[in-house]
Amino acid sequence: MLHAIVHGADVQDRDGGIILLTTMFGMHPFLRKLFADAAYQGPGFHKGLARILPHLETEIVKRSDLAKGFKALPKRWIVERTIAWLNRCRRLAKDWENLNRKGLAFLRLASIRLMLRKLCNPVTIFPDRL
């Protein structure tokens, strides 16, 4: 997780995305492409993004109208997998926090825990090459 903001449920994804990207301004100049779902395809989001981060290319990953049942979408599964990993933390499983800053603190702690687990228990892809 590079950055996060916790806000009220009355803020739409599009608006929250612009708020998030505004606070990231200059923090990660290496970012070149943003993958987003259909909730971010409005003209307001694209205008706001062009004003804040003009070099960032956006690709909207949409589900096909012809698809029936479950189908893994490109790049989208990475986000869904990460959310599932974070939701393993009991404190994030429910909306118990009454302050956004507490929710953000526990989200960061869960992300640090996940990162440490990945770093301390590396998966060996080719054990025969060691």
Side-chain angles (χ1 to χ4, degrees), residues 4-64:
I5 289 180
V6 176
H7 53 72
D10 60 341
V11 177
Q12 288 187 2
D13 288 347
R14 271 186 288 266
D15 302 332
I18 291 297
I19 294 168
L20 176 81
L21 292 170
T22 302
T23 61
M24 282 181 57
F25 185 77
M27 290 174 66
H28 306 290
F30 54 85
L31 293 178
R32 297 287 175 243
K33 192 165 195 174
L34 173 70
F35 292 97
D37 64 5
Y40 297 93
Q41 73 181 35
F45 180 76
H46 290 290
K47 286 180 186 175
L49 184 61
R51 192 172 57 241
I52 298 165
L53 299 167
H55 69 279
L56 194 62
E57 180 187 345
T58 307
E59 182 178 327
I60 304 296
V61 180
K62 292 191 269 185
R63 181 186 154 110
S64 171

Short mmCIF file of all heavy atoms in Angstrom, two decimals, residues 4-64:
data_model
loop_
_atom_site.label_atom_id
_atom_site.label_comp_id
_atom_site.label_asym_id
_atom_site.label_seq_id
_atom_site.Cartn_x
_atom_site.Cartn_y
_atom_site.Cartn_z
N ALA A 4 -3.12 5.80 1.73
CA ALA A 4 -4.54 5.53 2.01
C ALA A 4 -5.17 6.73 2.70
O ALA A 4 -4.49 7.50 3.38
CB ALA A 4 -4.69 4.29 2.89
N ILE A 5 -6.46 6.86 2.53
CA ILE A 5 -7.27 7.85 3.23
C ILE A 5 -8.54 7.14 3.67
O ILE A 5 -9.12 6.37 2.91
CB ILE A 5 -7.63 9.04 2.32
CG1 ILE A 5 -6.39 9.89 2.04
CG2 ILE A 5 -8.70 9.90 2.96
CD1 ILE A 5 -6.66 11.08 1.17
N VAL A 6 -8.95 7.39 4.88
CA VAL A 6 -10.22 6.85 5.37
C VAL A 6 -11.18 8.03 5.46
O VAL A 6 -10.88 9.05 6.08
CB VAL A 6 -10.05 6.18 6.75
CG1 VAL A 6 -11.38 5.72 7.29
CG2 VAL A 6 -9.08 5.01 6.64
N HIS A 7 -12.34 7.90 4.82
CA HIS A 7 -13.34 8.97 4.85
C HIS A 7 -14.71 8.37 5.11
O HIS A 7 -14.87 7.15 5.15
CB HIS A 7 -13.32 9.77 3.54
CG HIS A 7 -13.45 8.93 2.31
ND1 HIS A 7 -14.61 8.33 1.94
CD2 HIS A 7 -12.53 8.58 1.39
CE1 HIS A 7 -14.43 7.66 0.83
NE2 HIS A 7 -13.16 7.79 0.48
N GLY A 8 -15.67 9.22 5.28
CA GLY A 8 -17.03 8.78 5.56
C GLY A 8 -17.66 8.06 4.38
O GLY A 8 -17.20 8.18 3.24
N ALA A 9 -18.72 7.34 4.64
CA ALA A 9 -19.40 6.58 3.59
C ALA A 9 -20.16 7.48 2.63
O ALA A 9 -20.60 7.02 1.58
CB ALA A 9 -20.35 5.56 4.23
N ASP A 10 -20.32 8.75 2.97
CA ASP A 10 -21.04 9.66 2.08
C ASP A 10 -20.18 10.21 0.95
O ASP A 10 -20.66 10.97 0.12
CB ASP A 10 -21.64 10.82 2.89
CG ASP A 10 -20.59 11.64 3.61
OD1 ASP A 10 -19.46 11.14 3.79
OD2 ASP A 10 -20.90 12.78 4.00
N VAL A 11 -18.93 9.80 0.87
CA VAL A 11 -18.03 10.23 -0.20
C VAL A 11 -17.96 9.12 -1.24
O VAL A 11 -17.64 7.97 -0.92
CB VAL A 11 -16.62 10.53 0.36
CG1 VAL A 11 -15.66 10.91 -0.76
CG2 VAL A 11 -16.68 11.62 1.41
N GLN A 12 -18.27 9.46 -2.50
CA GLN A 12 -18.22 8.47 -3.57
C GLN A 12 -16.78 8.09 -3.89
O GLN A 12 -15.85 8.84 -3.61
CB GLN A 12 -18.88 9.03 -4.83
CG GLN A 12 -20.37 9.14 -4.74
CD GLN A 12 -20.98 9.54 -6.08
OE1 GLN A 12 -20.27 9.71 -7.07
NE2 GLN A 12 -22.29 9.69 -6.10
N ASP A 13 -16.61 6.94 -4.52
CA ASP A 13 -15.27 6.46 -4.89
C ASP A 13 -14.54 7.48 -5.76
O ASP A 13 -13.36 7.74 -5.56
CB ASP A 13 -15.37 5.14 -5.65
CG ASP A 13 -15.74 3.99 -4.75
OD1 ASP A 13 -15.68 4.16 -3.52
OD2 ASP A 13 -16.08 2.92 -5.27
N ARG A 14 -15.22 8.05 -6.75
CA ARG A 14 -14.60 9.03 -7.64
C ARG A 14 -14.03 10.20 -6.88
O ARG A 14 -12.90 10.61 -7.09
CB ARG A 14 -15.65 9.62 -8.58
CG ARG A 14 -15.89 8.96 -9.83
CD ARG A 14 -16.85 9.82 -10.63
NE ARG A 14 -18.19 9.79 -10.08
CZ ARG A 14 -19.14 8.98 -10.49
NH1 ARG A 14 -18.89 8.13 -11.45
NH2 ARG A 14 -20.32 9.00 -9.96
N ASP A 15 -14.84 10.75 -5.97
CA ASP A 15 -14.42 11.91 -5.19
C ASP A 15 -13.30 11.55 -4.22
O ASP A 15 -12.35 12.30 -4.05
CB ASP A 15 -15.61 12.51 -4.44
CG ASP A 15 -16.74 12.91 -5.38
OD1 ASP A 15 -16.44 13.23 -6.55
OD2 ASP A 15 -17.91 12.89 -4.96
N GLY A 16 -13.42 10.39 -3.59
CA GLY A 16 -12.38 9.93 -2.69
C GLY A 16 -11.08 9.66 -3.43
O GLY A 16 -9.99 9.90 -2.90
N GLY A 17 -11.17 9.19 -4.67
CA GLY A 17 -9.97 8.96 -5.47
C GLY A 17 -9.23 10.24 -5.78
O GLY A 17 -8.00 10.30 -5.72
N ILE A 18 -9.97 11.29 -6.09
CA ILE A 18 -9.34 12.59 -6.36
C ILE A 18 -8.70 13.14 -5.08
O ILE A 18 -7.59 13.66 -5.10
CB ILE A 18 -10.37 13.59 -6.94
CG1 ILE A 18 -10.77 13.16 -8.35
CG2 ILE A 18 -9.82 15.00 -6.95
CD1 ILE A 18 -9.64 13.17 -9.36
N ILE A 19 -9.38 12.98 -3.96
CA ILE A 19 -8.81 13.43 -2.68
C ILE A 19 -7.52 12.67 -2.39
O ILE A 19 -6.51 13.25 -2.00
CB ILE A 19 -9.83 13.23 -1.53
CG1 ILE A 19 -11.04 14.15 -1.72
CG2 ILE A 19 -9.19 13.49 -0.17
CD1 ILE A 19 -12.21 13.81 -0.82
N LEU A 20 -7.55 11.37 -2.58
CA LEU A 20 -6.36 10.55 -2.35
C LEU A 20 -5.21 10.97 -3.24
O LEU A 20 -4.09 11.17 -2.79
CB LEU A 20 -6.68 9.07 -2.57
CG LEU A 20 -5.49 8.13 -2.46
CD1 LEU A 20 -5.21 7.85 -0.99
CD2 LEU A 20 -5.73 6.86 -3.21
N LEU A 21 -5.48 11.12 -4.53
CA LEU A 21 -4.42 11.47 -5.47
C LEU A 21 -3.90 12.89 -5.23
O LEU A 21 -2.72 13.17 -5.47
CB LEU A 21 -4.91 11.30 -6.91
CG LEU A 21 -5.16 9.85 -7.31
CD1 LEU A 21 -5.88 9.78 -8.65
CD2 LEU A 21 -3.88 9.07 -7.36
N THR A 22 -4.74 13.78 -4.73
CA THR A 22 -4.30 15.13 -4.40
C THR A 22 -3.28 15.10 -3.27
O THR A 22 -2.28 15.81 -3.29
CB THR A 22 -5.50 16.01 -3.99
OG1 THR A 22 -6.44 16.03 -5.05
CG2 THR A 22 -5.07 17.42 -3.66
N THR A 23 -3.51 14.25 -2.28
CA THR A 23 -2.58 14.16 -1.15
C THR A 23 -1.30 13.43 -1.53
O THR A 23 -0.31 13.54 -0.83
CB THR A 23 -3.22 13.47 0.06
OG1 THR A 23 -3.60 12.14 -0.31
CG2 THR A 23 -4.44 14.23 0.54
N MET A 24 -1.31 12.67 -2.63
CA MET A 24 -0.12 11.95 -3.08
C MET A 24 0.77 12.79 -3.98
O MET A 24 1.84 12.34 -4.38
CB MET A 24 -0.53 10.70 -3.87
CG MET A 24 -0.98 9.56 -3.02
SD MET A 24 -1.42 8.13 -4.02
CE MET A 24 0.04 7.80 -4.94
N PHE A 25 0.35 13.99 -4.31
CA PHE A 25 1.06 14.83 -5.27
C PHE A 25 2.55 14.92 -4.93
O PHE A 25 2.92 15.35 -3.84
CB PHE A 25 0.45 16.23 -5.30
CG PHE A 25 1.06 17.12 -6.34
CD1 PHE A 25 0.70 16.97 -7.66
CD2 PHE A 25 2.00 18.07 -6.00
CE1 PHE A 25 1.25 17.78 -8.62
CE2 PHE A 25 2.56 18.88 -6.95
CZ PHE A 25 2.19 18.73 -8.28
N GLY A 26 3.40 14.47 -5.84
CA GLY A 26 4.83 14.55 -5.67
C GLY A 26 5.45 13.43 -4.84
O GLY A 26 6.67 13.32 -4.78
N MET A 27 4.65 12.61 -4.18
CA MET A 27 5.20 11.55 -3.32
C MET A 27 5.77 10.38 -4.11
O MET A 27 6.76 9.78 -3.70
CB MET A 27 4.12 11.03 -2.37
CG MET A 27 3.71 12.00 -1.29
SD MET A 27 2.32 11.41 -0.31
CE MET A 27 3.02 10.00 0.50
N HIS A 28 5.14 10.05 -5.21
CA HIS A 28 5.54 8.88 -6.00
C HIS A 28 5.65 9.27 -7.48
O HIS A 28 4.79 8.91 -8.28
CB HIS A 28 4.54 7.75 -5.82
CG HIS A 28 4.29 7.39 -4.40
ND1 HIS A 28 5.23 6.76 -3.62
CD2 HIS A 28 3.22 7.58 -3.60
CE1 HIS A 28 4.75 6.58 -2.41
NE2 HIS A 28 3.54 7.08 -2.37
N PRO A 29 6.71 9.97 -7.86
CA PRO A 29 6.83 10.41 -9.25
C PRO A 29 7.04 9.28 -10.24
O PRO A 29 6.90 9.48 -11.45
CB PRO A 29 8.05 11.35 -9.22
CG PRO A 29 8.83 10.93 -8.04
CD PRO A 29 7.84 10.39 -7.04
N PHE A 30 7.35 8.08 -9.76
CA PHE A 30 7.58 6.94 -10.65
C PHE A 30 6.28 6.33 -11.16
O PHE A 30 6.31 5.51 -12.08
CB PHE A 30 8.40 5.86 -9.93
CG PHE A 30 7.80 5.42 -8.63
CD1 PHE A 30 6.83 4.44 -8.58
CD2 PHE A 30 8.20 6.01 -7.44
CE1 PHE A 30 6.27 4.04 -7.38
CE2 PHE A 30 7.65 5.62 -6.23
CZ PHE A 30 6.68 4.63 -6.20
N LEU A 31 5.13 6.70 -10.61
CA LEU A 31 3.86 6.13 -11.07
C LEU A 31 3.55 6.63 -12.47
O LEU A 31 3.61 7.83 -12.74
CB LEU A 31 2.73 6.53 -10.12
CG LEU A 31 2.78 5.95 -8.72
CD1 LEU A 31 1.62 6.47 -7.89
CD2 LEU A 31 2.76 4.44 -8.76
N ARG A 32 3.23 5.72 -13.35
CA ARG A 32 2.92 6.07 -14.74
C ARG A 32 1.51 5.70 -15.15
O ARG A 32 0.94 6.33 -16.02
CB ARG A 32 3.91 5.39 -15.69
CG ARG A 32 5.33 5.82 -15.49
CD ARG A 32 5.54 7.22 -16.02
NE ARG A 32 6.88 7.67 -15.72
CZ ARG A 32 7.16 8.70 -14.94
NH1 ARG A 32 6.21 9.38 -14.38
NH2 ARG A 32 8.39 9.05 -14.70
N LYS A 33 0.96 4.63 -14.55
CA LYS A 33 -0.34 4.14 -14.98
C LYS A 33 -1.21 3.83 -13.77
O LYS A 33 -0.74 3.26 -12.80
CB LYS A 33 -0.17 2.89 -15.85
CG LYS A 33 -1.43 2.48 -16.56
CD LYS A 33 -1.09 1.50 -17.65
CE LYS A 33 -2.26 1.36 -18.58
NZ LYS A 33 -1.96 0.54 -19.72
N LEU A 34 -2.48 4.20 -13.87
CA LEU A 34 -3.45 3.95 -12.81
C LEU A 34 -4.52 3.03 -13.37
O LEU A 34 -5.15 3.34 -14.38
CB LEU A 34 -4.08 5.28 -12.36
CG LEU A 34 -5.25 5.19 -11.39
CD1 LEU A 34 -4.74 4.73 -10.03
CD2 LEU A 34 -5.94 6.53 -11.27
N PHE A 35 -4.69 1.88 -12.74
CA PHE A 35 -5.76 0.96 -13.11
C PHE A 35 -6.93 1.22 -12.17
O PHE A 35 -6.76 1.26 -10.95
CB PHE A 35 -5.31 -0.50 -12.98
CG PHE A 35 -4.27 -0.88 -13.97
CD1 PHE A 35 -2.93 -0.87 -13.64
CD2 PHE A 35 -4.63 -1.26 -15.25
CE1 PHE A 35 -1.96 -1.22 -14.55
CE2 PHE A 35 -3.67 -1.62 -16.18
CZ PHE A 35 -2.34 -1.60 -15.83
N ALA A 36 -8.12 1.39 -12.73
CA ALA A 36 -9.30 1.70 -11.92
C ALA A 36 -10.49 0.92 -12.44
O ALA A 36 -10.51 0.49 -13.60
CB ALA A 36 -9.58 3.20 -11.96
N ASP A 37 -11.51 0.76 -11.59
CA ASP A 37 -12.71 0.07 -12.04
C ASP A 37 -13.70 1.08 -12.61
O ASP A 37 -13.44 2.28 -12.69
CB ASP A 37 -13.30 -0.80 -10.93
CG ASP A 37 -13.80 0.00 -9.75
OD1 ASP A 37 -13.78 1.23 -9.80
OD2 ASP A 37 -14.20 -0.63 -8.76
N ALA A 38 -14.88 0.60 -12.98
CA ALA A 38 -15.86 1.42 -13.68
C ALA A 38 -16.38 2.59 -12.83
O ALA A 38 -16.92 3.55 -13.37
CB ALA A 38 -17.03 0.55 -14.15
N ALA A 39 -16.22 2.53 -11.52
CA ALA A 39 -16.69 3.63 -10.66
C ALA A 39 -15.92 4.92 -10.92
O ALA A 39 -16.37 6.00 -10.56
CB ALA A 39 -16.56 3.23 -9.20
N TYR A 40 -14.77 4.84 -11.56
CA TYR A 40 -13.91 6.00 -11.78
C TYR A 40 -13.94 6.51 -13.22
O TYR A 40 -13.11 7.31 -13.61
CB TYR A 40 -12.46 5.66 -11.42
CG TYR A 40 -12.29 5.31 -9.98
CD1 TYR A 40 -12.37 3.99 -9.55
CD2 TYR A 40 -12.08 6.30 -9.03
CE1 TYR A 40 -12.22 3.67 -8.23
CE2 TYR A 40 -11.93 5.99 -7.70
CZ TYR A 40 -12.01 4.66 -7.30
OH TYR A 40 -11.87 4.34 -5.99
N GLN A 41 -14.90 6.10 -14.02
CA GLN A 41 -14.87 6.45 -15.43
C GLN A 41 -15.58 7.75 -15.77
O GLN A 41 -15.63 8.12 -16.93
CB GLN A 41 -15.41 5.32 -16.28
CG GLN A 41 -16.89 5.10 -16.24
CD GLN A 41 -17.29 3.93 -17.10
OE1 GLN A 41 -16.57 2.96 -17.21
NE2 GLN A 41 -18.42 4.03 -17.71
N GLY A 42 -16.07 8.50 -14.83
CA GLY A 42 -16.75 9.76 -15.13
C GLY A 42 -15.80 10.85 -15.59
O GLY A 42 -14.60 10.82 -15.31
N PRO A 43 -16.32 11.85 -16.29
CA PRO A 43 -15.46 12.94 -16.78
C PRO A 43 -14.89 13.79 -15.64
O PRO A 43 -13.81 14.34 -15.76
CB PRO A 43 -16.39 13.77 -17.67
CG PRO A 43 -17.77 13.42 -17.24
CD PRO A 43 -17.71 12.02 -16.72
N GLY A 44 -15.60 13.88 -14.52
CA GLY A 44 -15.10 14.65 -13.38
C GLY A 44 -13.82 14.07 -12.82
O GLY A 44 -12.89 14.82 -12.48
N PHE A 45 -13.74 12.76 -12.75
CA PHE A 45 -12.53 12.11 -12.25
C PHE A 45 -11.36 12.35 -13.20
O PHE A 45 -10.26 12.68 -12.77
CB PHE A 45 -12.77 10.61 -12.06
CG PHE A 45 -11.56 9.88 -11.55
CD1 PHE A 45 -11.20 9.97 -10.22
CD2 PHE A 45 -10.78 9.11 -12.40
CE1 PHE A 45 -10.09 9.30 -9.73
CE2 PHE A 45 -9.67 8.44 -11.93
CZ PHE A 45 -9.32 8.54 -10.59
N HIS A 46 -11.61 12.22 -14.49
CA HIS A 46 -10.52 12.38 -15.46
C HIS A 46 -10.03 13.83 -15.52
O HIS A 46 -8.84 14.08 -15.65
CB HIS A 46 -10.96 11.90 -16.84
CG HIS A 46 -11.10 10.41 -16.90
ND1 HIS A 46 -10.02 9.56 -16.84
CD2 HIS A 46 -12.20 9.62 -16.96
CE1 HIS A 46 -10.44 8.31 -16.90
NE2 HIS A 46 -11.75 8.32 -16.96
N LYS A 47 -10.95 14.79 -15.40
CA LYS A 47 -10.53 16.20 -15.38
C LYS A 47 -9.73 16.51 -14.13
O LYS A 47 -8.71 17.19 -14.19
CB LYS A 47 -11.76 17.11 -15.46
CG LYS A 47 -12.39 17.16 -16.81
CD LYS A 47 -13.59 18.08 -16.80
CE LYS A 47 -14.33 18.03 -18.12
NZ LYS A 47 -15.55 18.83 -18.10
N GLY A 48 -10.20 16.02 -13.00
CA GLY A 48 -9.48 16.23 -11.75
C GLY A 48 -8.11 15.58 -11.76
O GLY A 48 -7.12 16.16 -11.31
N LEU A 49 -8.03 14.38 -12.31
CA LEU A 49 -6.76 13.67 -12.40
C LEU A 49 -5.79 14.39 -13.34
O LEU A 49 -4.61 14.51 -13.05
CB LEU A 49 -6.99 12.23 -12.87
CG LEU A 49 -5.77 11.33 -12.92
CD1 LEU A 49 -5.16 11.17 -11.53
CD2 LEU A 49 -6.14 9.99 -13.49
N ALA A 50 -6.31 14.91 -14.47
CA ALA A 50 -5.46 15.63 -15.41
C ALA A 50 -4.92 16.92 -14.79
O ALA A 50 -3.80 17.34 -15.09
CB ALA A 50 -6.24 15.95 -16.68
N ARG A 51 -5.69 17.51 -13.91
CA ARG A 51 -5.25 18.74 -13.24
C ARG A 51 -4.19 18.44 -12.18
O ARG A 51 -3.23 19.19 -12.01
CB ARG A 51 -6.46 19.44 -12.63
CG ARG A 51 -6.19 20.84 -12.16
CD ARG A 51 -7.46 21.57 -11.73
NE ARG A 51 -8.17 20.86 -10.68
CZ ARG A 51 -9.42 20.40 -10.79
NH1 ARG A 51 -10.10 20.57 -11.90
NH2 ARG A 51 -9.99 19.77 -9.79
N ILE A 52 -4.35 17.33 -11.47
CA ILE A 52 -3.45 17.00 -10.36
C ILE A 52 -2.18 16.30 -10.84
O ILE A 52 -1.07 16.70 -10.51
CB ILE A 52 -4.16 16.09 -9.34
CG1 ILE A 52 -5.36 16.80 -8.75
CG2 ILE A 52 -3.22 15.67 -8.24
CD1 ILE A 52 -6.29 15.87 -8.03
N LEU A 53 -2.36 15.22 -11.59
CA LEU A 53 -1.23 14.41 -12.07
C LEU A 53 -1.36 14.21 -13.58
O LEU A 53 -1.84 13.18 -14.05
CB LEU A 53 -1.22 13.05 -11.37
CG LEU A 53 -1.07 13.08 -9.85
CD1 LEU A 53 -1.38 11.73 -9.24
CD2 LEU A 53 0.33 13.51 -9.47
N PRO A 54 -0.94 15.20 -14.38
CA PRO A 54 -1.15 15.12 -15.83
C PRO A 54 -0.37 13.99 -16.51
O PRO A 54 -0.77 13.52 -17.57
CB PRO A 54 -0.69 16.48 -16.34
CG PRO A 54 0.16 17.05 -15.27
CD PRO A 54 -0.28 16.42 -13.98
N HIS A 55 0.72 13.52 -15.92
CA HIS A 55 1.52 12.48 -16.54
C HIS A 55 0.97 11.07 -16.31
O HIS A 55 1.42 10.12 -16.92
CB HIS A 55 2.96 12.54 -16.02
CG HIS A 55 3.08 12.14 -14.58
ND1 HIS A 55 2.79 13.01 -13.55
CD2 HIS A 55 3.41 10.96 -14.00
CE1 HIS A 55 2.96 12.38 -12.40
NE2 HIS A 55 3.34 11.14 -12.65
N LEU A 56 -0.02 10.95 -15.43
CA LEU A 56 -0.55 9.63 -15.05
C LEU A 56 -1.61 9.17 -16.05
O LEU A 56 -2.62 9.83 -16.25
CB LEU A 56 -1.14 9.71 -13.64
CG LEU A 56 -1.43 8.40 -12.94
CD1 LEU A 56 -0.15 7.61 -12.73
CD2 LEU A 56 -2.08 8.66 -11.60
N GLU A 57 -1.36 8.03 -16.66
CA GLU A 57 -2.31 7.45 -17.61
C GLU A 57 -3.31 6.59 -16.84
O GLU A 57 -2.94 5.89 -15.89
CB GLU A 57 -1.54 6.57 -18.61
CG GLU A 57 -2.41 5.91 -19.64
CD GLU A 57 -1.63 4.93 -20.49
OE1 GLU A 57 -0.38 4.98 -20.47
OE2 GLU A 57 -2.26 4.10 -21.14
N THR A 58 -4.56 6.65 -17.23
CA THR A 58 -5.61 5.89 -16.55
C THR A 58 -6.17 4.82 -17.47
O THR A 58 -6.47 5.10 -18.63
CB THR A 58 -6.76 6.81 -16.10
OG1 THR A 58 -6.24 7.89 -15.35
CG2 THR A 58 -7.77 6.06 -15.27
N GLU A 59 -6.30 3.60 -16.94
CA GLU A 59 -6.95 2.53 -17.67
C GLU A 59 -8.10 2.00 -16.83
O GLU A 59 -7.90 1.55 -15.70
CB GLU A 59 -5.97 1.40 -17.98
CG GLU A 59 -6.61 0.27 -18.78
CD GLU A 59 -5.63 -0.83 -19.12
OE1 GLU A 59 -4.45 -0.54 -19.32
OE2 GLU A 59 -6.06 -2.00 -19.16
N ILE A 60 -9.31 2.09 -17.38
CA ILE A 60 -10.50 1.60 -16.69
C ILE A 60 -10.67 0.11 -17.03
O ILE A 60 -10.79 -0.25 -18.19
CB ILE A 60 -11.76 2.38 -17.11
CG1 ILE A 60 -11.58 3.89 -16.87
CG2 ILE A 60 -12.99 1.86 -16.40
CD1 ILE A 60 -11.41 4.27 -15.43
N VAL A 61 -10.66 -0.73 -16.00
CA VAL A 61 -10.82 -2.17 -16.18
C VAL A 61 -12.30 -2.49 -15.94
O VAL A 61 -12.79 -2.39 -14.82
CB VAL A 61 -9.93 -2.96 -15.19
CG1 VAL A 61 -10.11 -4.45 -15.38
CG2 VAL A 61 -8.48 -2.56 -15.35
N LYS A 62 -13.00 -2.81 -17.04
CA LYS A 62 -14.44 -3.07 -16.95
C LYS A 62 -14.74 -4.54 -17.19
O LYS A 62 -14.04 -5.21 -17.93
CB LYS A 62 -15.19 -2.23 -17.97
CG LYS A 62 -15.17 -0.75 -17.69
CD LYS A 62 -16.12 -0.02 -18.57
CE LYS A 62 -15.42 0.42 -19.81
NZ LYS A 62 -16.24 1.25 -20.68
N ARG A 63 -15.81 -4.97 -16.57
CA ARG A 63 -16.30 -6.32 -16.79
C ARG A 63 -17.07 -6.34 -18.11
O ARG A 63 -17.82 -5.42 -18.42
CB ARG A 63 -17.22 -6.71 -15.63
CG ARG A 63 -17.78 -8.09 -15.74
CD ARG A 63 -18.78 -8.30 -14.62
NE ARG A 63 -19.73 -9.30 -15.02
CZ ARG A 63 -19.79 -10.50 -14.50
NH1 ARG A 63 -18.98 -10.82 -13.53
NH2 ARG A 63 -20.66 -11.38 -14.92
N SER A 64 -16.89 -7.39 -18.87
CA SER A 64 -17.58 -7.52 -20.15
C SER A 64 -19.07 -7.76 -19.92
O SER A 64 -19.46 -8.47 -18.98
CB SER A 64 -16.99 -8.68 -20.95
OG SER A 64 -17.77 -8.94 -22.08
#
